[in-house]
Amino acid sequence: NPDIASDGKNFFVVWQDSRDWLLDWWAIYGARVKDVTGLLLDPIGIVISQKFGNELYPCVSWNGEYYLVSYTCHDWNLPHTYWREHIWATRISPGGGVIDLGGFRLSAVTNRQIHSAISAPMDGSPFMVVWQELSDTGRWKIKCRKLDPRKRRSPWCAACLLYTSDAADEGV
């Protein structure tokens, strides 16, 4: 599941990669591609996320200052014995540096979260990230979160509910 974003001149490509086949885990990698020549600047890729568990379904966007990569992380829920899925994100500098080593979760809720998408204007304005989240009643919601790149301490605003098919969640 690759994705691509452009800063107006060059490109940044992201994908899920299972090159660490001994552990049988998927990680998120990225690479810079130079303008229309297609020259690959990072031939072995840049490790964006490589946690205990699988990272899948990456997407990427550019906001005029840096790239934001979001992805679904399947992590082991200790002390319980099951996997859980959450949306994580990592900022990448124009030079390919990982700004947020280890990434960060977009929501603290324990419900299942999958399939994110990102959009941002190219003027340094906030990113908007959306994802699907399973409610306690077993219905899917569409949630979103905005990242303000100008804030250093707590860049995220509160998550908001965009859509739900569950009457118990309306008005949240």
Side-chain angles (χ1 to χ4, degrees):
N1 292 350
D3 196 19
I4 189 169
S6 173
D7 64 6
K9 181 179 178 187
N10 297 310
F11 300 91
F12 193 73
V13 180
V14 295
W15 67 93
Q16 60 194 42
D17 193 311
S18 65
R19 66 180 73 179
D20 194 358
W21 59 271
L22 289 175
L23 298 175
D24 196 29
W25 293 339
W26 292 83
I28 303 299
Y29 281 76
R32 295 169 298 142
V33 178
K34 187 163 180 59
D35 57 44
V36 294
T37 65
L39 176 66
L40 184 60
L41 299 175
D42 307 297
I44 62 171
I46 299 164
V47 177
I48 295 170
S49 178
Q50 194 173 36
K51 297 180 183 21
F52 176 74
N54 286 315
E55 286 81 42
L56 303 167
Y57 316 117
C59 57
V60 62
S61 187
W62 168 260
N63 77 338
E65 294 180 24
Y66 54 84
Y67 294 97
L68 182 70
V69 178
S70 68
Y71 47 93
T72 301
C73 181
H74 297 254
D75 53 348
W76 190 248
N77 186 15
L78 295 174
H80 306 291
T81 56
Y82 61 90
W83 292 95
R84 59 184 177 180
E85 299 164 302
H86 296 290
I87 302 299
W88 284 67
T90 302
R91 293 176 297 168
I92 308 294
S93 74
V98 176
I99 298 170
D100 306 298
L101 294 175
F104 50 91
R105 277 182 53 184
L106 298 189
S107 176
V109 300
T110 58
N111 298 2
R112 183 178 181 204
Q113 302 161 349
I114 59 173
H115 304 300
S116 60
I118 309 171
S119 184
M122 290 181 56
D123 63 358
S125 296
F127 289 99
M128 181 66 76
V129 183
V130 296
W131 66 88
Q132 289 179 270
E133 183 174 295
L134 189 62
S135 72
D136 292 333
T137 60
R139 295 184 183 252
W140 288 101
K141 307 174 189 181
I142 303 298
K143 299 288 284 277
C144 71
R145 185 151 275 193
K146 183 171 66 172
L147 170 66
D148 186 345
R150 291 174 286 279
K151 292 185 180 177
R152 293 184 182 269
R153 176 176 264 183
S154 178
W156 291 100
C157 70
C160 60
L161 179 66
L162 295 178
Y163 170 80
T164 181
S165 60
D166 191 346
D169 289 327
E170 289 181 11
V172 174

